[in-house]
Amino acid sequence: MITKTHLLFSLILFSFLSNVVFKTEASAGSFLLSCGSTSSDADSDGRTWEPDSKYLETQDNSMPSTAEFQDPSLPSTIPYMSARVFTAPSSYKFSISLNDRHWVRLHFYPTSYSGLNATDAFFSVVAGGVTLLNNFSAYITAEALTQAYIIREFSLVPVPTGQLSLTFTPSDKHDGSYAFINGIEVIPMPNVFQNAMLVGFPDQPVDVQSSNLQTMYRLNVGGQYISPVNDSGLTRTWYDDSPYLFGANMGISFEAGKNVTIQYTDEQKPAAPLDVYSSARTMGPESTVNANANLTWVFQVDGSFMYVVRFHFCELDMTKVNQRVFDIYVNNQTAQVGADVILWSGGRGIPMYKDFAVFSTEEPGDEMLWVALHPTVSARPEYYDAILNGLEIFKLNDSNANLAGPNPVPSPMLIKAEEMREFAPPRSNGNAEVIGGAAGGAAAVGLVAAICIAAYQRKKKVVGADAAGPYGWLPLYGSSHTTTSKSTISGKSTASSHLSSLAVSLCRHFSLAEIKHGTKNFDESQVIGVGGFGKVYKGVIDGSTKVAIKRANPSSEQGVNEFQTEIEMLSKLRHRHLVSLIGYCEENDEMILVYDYMAFGTLREHLYKTNKPPLSWKQRLEICIGAARGLHYLHTGAKYTIIHRDVKTTNILLDDKWVAKVSDFGLSKTGPDMMNQSHVSTVVKGSFGYLDPEYFRRQQLTEKSDVYSFGVVLFEVLCARPALNPSLPKEQVSLADWALHCQKKGVLEDIVDPHLKGKITPECFKKFAETAEKCLSDHGLDRPSMGDVLWNLEYCLQVQENPDGVKMEKDDSETNAPMAASSSDIEMYHATLGLGAGGSSDDVIFSQFINPKGR
Ligand SMILES: *[C@@H]1O[C@H](CO)[C@@H](O)[C@H](O)[C@H]1NC(C)=O
Ligand SMILES: *[C@@H]1O[C@H](CO)[C@@H](O)[C@H](O)[C@H]1NC(C)=O
Ligand SMILES: *[C@@H]1O[C@H](CO)[C@@H](O)[C@H](O)[C@H]1NC(C)=O
Ligand SMILES: *[C@@H]1O[C@H](CO)[C@@H](O)[C@H](O)[C@H]1NC(C)=O
Ligand SMILES: *[C@@H]1O[C@H](CO)[C@@H](O)[C@H](O)[C@H]1NC(C)=O
Ligand SMILES: *[C@@H]1O[C@H](CO)[C@@H](O)[C@H](O)[C@H]1NC(C)=O
Ligand SMILES: *[C@@H]1O[C@H](CO)[C@@H](O)[C@H](O)[C@H]1NC(C)=O
Ligand SMILES: *[C@@H]1O[C@H](CO)[C@@H](O)[C@H](O)[C@H]1NC(C)=O
């Protein structure tokens, strides 16, 4: 789903300095309350929070309390570890400036306070007459979003009295209900809103200025997480957009080159920080592909509200009008034809934004907000391409001055996983070298299982809000809270009974008749492989579309749970460089999965022991780059790490356009079997010749194990020989050992595929060999991240193509640092899916779960 080539190269110093100036101005009249605490303290970002008691109208109905448990994923103890608990309606009063809009941010950490059960807190929050939350359960919301804590951000219109009251009222519909709050921010803000055109009704402006808003999403498109202190003075949080990308076309993300100066002035600061404008996502260089494609994002929203979608643009590459022209769709309606950022903004490096309003009705499907860009082919631009730098989505209050939506409903799978977790013994500590196999690991596995599954089940993703930031989980647009009713409505109740409606909606459902027809009734002549799951058939659907069809062997160990899990997971793991699941069939006890058919087979069959023509060096580089992208996505695209565990040339498949796809990342075992510790722990999976020696030694799996295997793949591609060849002299049997030996002796060129002799430029060869060598470092820590590998391979391709002048604008030191940091040091559990071999695998696949702290 993501090409997360985050080549961070930024002018952060500049933005940081300018922030400081702006912030001191803005902080007058700001309130940051750490509720229930008795002293002022700074949080981990250095922002100071003061006690709340002097802003309370009365203290009779409330009590200060301290959280009984500190979740390791809390970003800071301030303000989350203290809370104020209300047993009856209570208000805070703030004296605020008359003419300013204000941010109101509410921080909730649902846990046990003063012996109260976190599940009992249902309450409403009303600010200056506007209902912000109603029947709100922070517990349910956090659970469904798999967050430890929730942040809700609102922007309120000026309050004419200058007195803002914030009232917490426990629900009277639930016995023993109470309200609580951990942190409150009330901060004056410049008016950054204008009236917006309603999509489809260009003559109907929507009055945004006099509306109260809730921030639903705030994304640094093609860029990285930006924390409140690094915002341009408005203490907003910006998130990576890649989890919201939909479909196969992920586009490419890039940073402004050094030769591009962004004309970022004080006027732009309220709109977005410089970092948002200095990175972007475009569709990619292939005009012919782009002409028939959309760059699409999908967001979960509440039905029956008006939304404003703000597009931030800043052209970083083109200089002329009609070079990059595109249409903008919001909810499948044309919001703008022929968007030309150069024409609008007046030139390269000039930031701007555009707002569009759209109404989301309560009809099924409309709880998703779709945003798509498509080249305006009819305008005949120089390139068929589109660009986007930032995206914000705000919900507008309805006519009852209400902004509150319903609580999300955790999916059945999540509930099941939760139940499993309760049966497991408590986790002894956060350190989980569970792969090693002690029984004590089971609990951690169960816990992560819950998280992992839930990561796909998110409803009501609210950015700004529930912090999918560095501590959060994958903010996928999760299953809807109307799971069951929806599948009934769609008439697929039998097929979808076990599946979230999202999976159902993302994934096609085939009838058994269609499958039988497409495989000549499972004729043996159609079999292209046999795996632990069952047989894999070649097939045809829709008359001509070739597919690979995996049919579960009825006696297969992998049962219904695995089948569901695979669909749940795979339907959302979409990436240009991962083989994708097209659909499934669940009928008459048959469990069948339908995948893209890869016309050109495996990478290996094009390298050696083949009568196929040898691949050119450029083709090989491009294939390696594609595979690296796929793996990089698995490692970092989600907020947890997916480790492939069986990277090898037979698991890199090629479609009919030579696009490399990492295959079959998915017969993942979750469900009850995951508790089966013996399974999880004893099988050191992977293929000899590719196995990370560290993994072997310490049974400790990290994403660097994939990097090791990928290093072997790189040498295999360079030398065109198997990873293990027992017929060779002893020192040459293992390609990894032999290639490293040759590289150290400086004679690597002697073992290069003879077809490549004289075809690789020296600089390219040097870089490639160094990259492969580093991947094979003995210790995982010394190996590059997949992102670094990717960058180095792209560099190789560049120097191969332009030996005289490399056009890459960044050097390693700048780009490597943020990449390397992106996946480490983050307090979270890494869930890993055991990944199978290609369509013809005979491997049985297991999931393994680890905590990065254990590394
Ligand atoms: C909290 O309430 C839930 C259901 O209402 C119950 O299952 C759980 O055991 C309770 N927890 C505690 C600590 O009492
Ligand atoms: C703000 O940006 C700077 C520069 O990139 C970075 O070092 C720092 O960690 C960021 N601060 C936060 C709180 O993310
Ligand atoms: C920046 O410079 C590089 C090479 O130095 C060039 O390829 C690229 O087109 C330039 N970008 C712009 C926007 O001028
Ligand atoms: C937009 O189109 C997609 C398919 O392209 C569909 O699944 C979705 O429901 C549509 N959304 C709306 C709001 O019509
Ligand atoms: C792009 O999105 C629009 C609006 O959803 C849709 O009408 C169109 O068919 C899509 N085009 C492609 C190529 O997917
Ligand atoms: C939103 O609330 C304001 C009062 O704060 C009200 O004036 C406005 O009409 C409401 N918006 C809508 C669309 O009803
Ligand atoms: C409050 O929320 C809970 C959980 O989402 C739901 O079951 C209940 O029906 C809601 N109550 C009201 C009055 O809306
Ligand atoms: C664990 O796996 C073994 C071997 O597949 C199986 O016989 C056993 O029933 C499993 N145990 C559980 C609790 O699933």
Side-chain angles (χ1 to χ4, degrees):
M1 199 175 282
I2 299 153
T3 22
K4 200 169 172 184
T5 359
H6 282 137
L7 306 178
L8 185 85
F9 156 69
S10 63
L11 304 133
I12 279 166
L13 184 62
F14 170 55
S15 90
F16 179 74
L17 291 176
S18 45
N19 288 356
V20 172
V21 178
F22 192 79
K23 219 175 297 159
T24 42
E25 288 164 13
S27 55
S30 295
F31 303 89
L32 262 72
L33 307 188
S34 175
C35 301
S37 81
T38 50
S39 61
S40 287
D41 272 307
D43 66 15
S44 55
D45 279 354
R47 302 170 79 203
T48 302
W49 300 67
E50 58 173 324
D52 63 331
S53 47
K54 74 176 185 199
Y55 300 98
L56 269 175
E57 277 199 313
T58 162
Q59 300 199 18
D60 294 349
N61 300 329
S62 71
M63 56 186 167
S65 185
T66 306
E68 284 162 20
F69 169 73
Q70 181 172 349
D71 192 287
S73 71
L74 290 176
S76 169
T77 54
I78 317 292
Y80 298 103
M81 285 305 286
S82 68
R84 183 161 297 273
V85 173
F86 305 96
T87 48
S90 293
S91 298
Y92 289 96
K93 275 259 184 312
F94 301 97
S95 294
I96 56 172
S97 52
L98 295 179
N99 302 320
D100 289 321
R101 291 186 78 97
H102 281 75
W103 294 124
V104 171
R105 298 196 185 101
L106 305 175
H107 300 250
F108 301 99
Y109 169 42
T111 184
S112 183
Y113 294 103
S114 307
L116 291 165
N117 193 330
T119 59
D120 289 337
F122 284 88
F123 55 97
S124 67
V125 182
V126 175
V130 183
T131 306
L132 306 182
L133 297 168
N134 189 25
N135 187 37
F136 173 70
S137 167
Y139 177 84
I140 292 176
T141 309
E143 196 79 348
L145 300 175
T146 65
Q147 302 283 165
Y149 65 105
I150 308 280
I151 309 170
R152 287 281 181 265
E153 181 185 274
F154 305 91
S155 169
L156 302 185
V157 298
V159 179
T161 57
Q163 292 289 320
L164 176 70
S165 68
L166 195 62
T167 306
F168 290 79
T169 311
S171 166
D172 51 11
K173 305 277 194 311
H174 299 264
D175 288 341
S177 187
Y178 64 97
F180 76 97
I181 179 76
N182 302 87
I184 300 175
E185 296 177 60
V186 177
I187 300 178
M189 61 178 287
N191 187 5
V192 296
F193 300 106
Q194 292 87 40
N195 292 348
M197 287 305 154
L198 186 57
V199 172
F201 302 89
D203 49 352
Q204 275 192 35
V206 172
D207 184 4
V208 183
Q209 291 220 53
S210 55
S211 293
N212 303 287
L213 299 99
Q214 180 185 346
T215 310
M216 303 298 288
Y217 298 90
R218 180 174 287 131
L219 306 178
N220 179 11
V221 176
Q224 291 182 327
Y225 170 79
I226 300 173
S227 67
V229 292
N230 280 349
D231 185 32
S232 49
L234 273 71
T235 52
R236 294 166 296 201
T237 310
W238 299 77
Y239 297 91
D240 175 7
D241 69 310
S242 38
Y244 303 95
L245 278 162
F246 174 81
N249 185 354
M250 320 316 316
I252 54 169
S253 56
F254 69 101
E255 303 279 333
K258 278 187 176 137
N259 47 3
V260 180
T261 310
I262 297 179
Q263 296 172 34
Y264 186 75
T265 63
D266 283 355
E267 273 102 77
Q268 263 103 29
K269 270 185 211 159
L274 178 59
D275 277 1
V276 168
Y277 292 116
S278 58
S279 64
R281 186 178 299 279
T282 61
M283 297 185 78
E286 309 277 353
S287 268
T288 45
V289 175
N290 297 349
N292 297 310
N294 282 350
L295 193 53
T296 306
W297 293 260
V298 185
F299 304 93
Q300 184 103 40
V301 295
D302 296 318
S304 296
F305 282 98
M306 182 76 79
Y307 291 89
V308 168
V309 185
R310 169 165 293 185
F311 295 79
H312 293 270
F313 295 113
C314 182
E315 182 55 73
L316 303 173
D317 195 9
M318 306 297 161
T319 51
K320 296 199 206 67
V321 168
N322 209 39
Q323 283 188 308
R324 174 146 50 197
V325 184
F326 53 94
D327 297 342
I328 301 173
Y329 301 101
V330 177
N331 262 358
N332 303 346
Q333 302 178 63
T334 309
Q336 176 77 48
V337 175
D340 186 332
V341 177
I342 294 289
L343 181 68
W344 278 347
S345 67
R348 189 173 74 194
I350 304 178
M352 57 161 294
Y353 61 78
K354 279 266 177 191
D355 292 343
F356 299 100
V358 64
F359 189 74
S360 174
T361 60
E362 194 62 272
E363 282 154 31
D366 280 359
E367 289 151 342
M368 298 289 187
L369 198 152
W370 295 69
V371 171
L373 307 179
H374 177 71
T376 312
V377 174
S378 60
R380 299 186 173 277
E382 188 174 342
Y383 303 99
Y384 290 157
D385 200 358
I387 184 170
L388 186 62
N389 304 65
L391 190 72
E392 290 176 281
I393 301 179
F394 301 98
K395 185 204 290 180
L396 271 60
N397 68 273
D398 65 15
S399 51
N400 300 323
N402 175 48
L403 278 166
N407 288 315
V409 171
S411 76
M413 277 177 86
L414 175 60
I415 292 167
K416 205 159 103 192
E418 283 290 302
E419 281 164 2
M420 280 161 46
R421 163 175 143 187
E422 265 154 38
F423 293 128
R427 195 155 46 100
S428 51
N429 55 38
N431 176 356
E433 294 190 10
V434 285
I435 310 292
V445 172
L447 175 65
V448 179
I451 291 166
C452 171
I453 295 166
Y456 290 91
Q457 305 292 338
R458 307 183 58 143
K459 157 68 182 169
K460 302 283 173 296
K461 172 64 185 88
V462 179
V463 161
D466 54 60
Y471 308 101
W473 297 102
L474 174 65
L476 273 171
Y477 38 96
S479 78
S480 160
H481 62 289
T482 52
T483 302
T484 38
S485 62
K486 241 187 202 166
S487 39
T488 320
I489 289 166
S490 66
K492 286 191 208 151
S493 48
T494 44
S496 55
S497 52
H498 309 295
L499 298 170
S500 75
S501 65
L502 180 70
V504 170
S505 69
L506 290 179
C507 204
R508 178 163 162 196
H509 174 244
F510 291 93
S511 70
L512 187 56
E514 273 175 287
I515 301 283
K516 280 188 172 164
H517 181 76
T519 55
K520 303 185 182 152
N521 200 12
F522 300 115
D523 195 275
E524 284 297 310
S525 67
Q526 302 293 104
V527 174
I528 51 175
V530 181
F533 186 87
K535 283 182 180 163
V536 184
Y537 299 80
K538 189 168 70 180
V540 172
I541 53 164
D542 300 339
S544 62
T545 309
K546 285 192 182 165
V547 292
I549 292 176
K550 243 186 212 177
R551 181 192 196 190
N553 185 341
S555 63
S556 157
E557 275 188 29
Q558 297 169 321
V560 113
N561 285 322
E562 290 71 24
F563 177 73
Q564 287 160 11
T565 308
E566 177 160 8
I567 296 174
E568 291 287 334
M569 302 217 164
L570 283 192
S571 61
K572 285 145 219 163
L573 272 179
R574 284 182 200 268
H575 188 273
R576 180 172 157 82
H577 296 289
L578 300 179
V579 169
S580 58
L581 181 70
I582 297 175
Y584 65 95
C585 167
E586 192 186 28
E587 206 173 306
N588 292 356
D589 294 332
E590 289 274 4
M591 294 182 294
I592 292 165
L593 298 171
V594 181
Y595 299 88
D596 276 346
Y597 180 69
M598 294 293 118
F600 289 173
T602 68
L603 170 59
R604 178 176 300 174
E605 66 196 66
H606 295 274
L607 289 176
Y608 47 86
K609 289 188 189 146
T610 178
N611 39 27
K612 299 198 161 97
L615 298 174
S616 73
W617 179 236
K618 185 181 171 205
Q619 269 177 318
R620 293 185 204 201
L621 276 179
E622 283 170 344
I623 289 166
C624 291
I625 289 173
R629 258 187 226 289
L631 290 171
H632 179 51
Y633 167 66
L634 286 179
H635 290 177
T636 62
K639 286 289 186 286
Y640 54 89
T641 300
I642 300 171
I643 302 175
H644 188 291
R645 299 180 59 206
D646 202 6
V647 176
K648 55 182 175 182
T649 43
T650 44
N651 273 346
I652 298 172
L653 305 185
L654 301 167
D655 73 5
D656 57 354
K657 301 197 176 63
W658 296 104
V659 176
K661 313 227 176 200
V662 177
S663 80
D664 230 326
F665 36 93
L667 289 175
S668 61
K669 275 212 166 198
T670 57
D673 274 356
M674 221 165 43
M675 304 301 290
N676 202 330
Q677 196 55 32
S678 64
H679 251 109
V680 172
S681 58
T682 55
V683 184
V684 172
K685 233 188 67 71
S687 302
F688 286 100
Y690 297 89
L691 262 186
D692 170 10
E694 191 169 56
Y695 172 34
F696 209 72
R697 274 198 311 273
R698 302 173 59 189
Q699 309 234 314
Q700 197 180 315
L701 189 68
T702 74
E703 70 273 16
K704 292 296 180 68
S705 303
D706 284 351
V707 173
Y708 182 91
S709 308
F710 193 73
V712 179
V713 167
L714 292 179
F715 277 125
E716 205 175 330
V717 164
L718 182 71
C719 306
R721 56 150 282 187
L724 281 185
N725 186 349
S727 65
L728 290 171
K730 194 165 133 259
E731 70 276 12
Q732 298 184 23
V733 167
S734 155
L735 172 60
D737 293 346
W738 182 234
L740 279 183
H741 173 83
C742 294
Q743 167 75 350
K744 294 212 167 79
K745 285 251 154 33
V747 295
L748 183 65
E749 279 182 59
D750 297 349
I751 62 165
V752 167
D753 183 359
H755 293 113
L756 297 174
K757 285 272 155 68
K759 304 265 169 63
I760 311 178
T761 65
E763 177 66 13
C764 178
F765 180 77
K766 180 162 165 272
K767 192 75 172 183
F768 189 90
E770 274 171 16
T771 307
E773 183 186 11
K774 277 196 208 128
C775 290
L776 296 186
S777 299
D778 217 25
H779 297 288
L781 282 175
D782 301 332
R783 294 174 207 151
S785 71
M786 222 45 231
D788 297 340
V789 173
L790 176 57
W791 195 90
N792 282 311
L793 291 174
E794 282 178 337
Y795 178 86
C796 286
L797 184 60
Q798 288 273 355
V799 283
Q800 178 71 24
E801 303 265 274
N802 307 290
D804 304 328
V806 183
K807 291 214 231 121
M808 304 291 276
E809 287 133 24
K810 306 112 194 163
D811 69 45
D812 301 49
S813 56
E814 278 167 271
T815 54
N816 285 355
M819 278 183 183
S822 64
S823 58
S824 60
D825 298 332
I826 293 175
E827 176 66 49
M828 63 183 181
Y829 300 99
H830 283 205
T832 73
L833 305 181
L835 301 172
S840 57
S841 154
D842 53 2
D843 296 315
V844 180
I845 291 101
F846 305 100
S847 295
Q848 299 190 333
F849 294 88
I850 52 168
N851 181 331
K853 291 270 147 137
R855 277 186 244 155

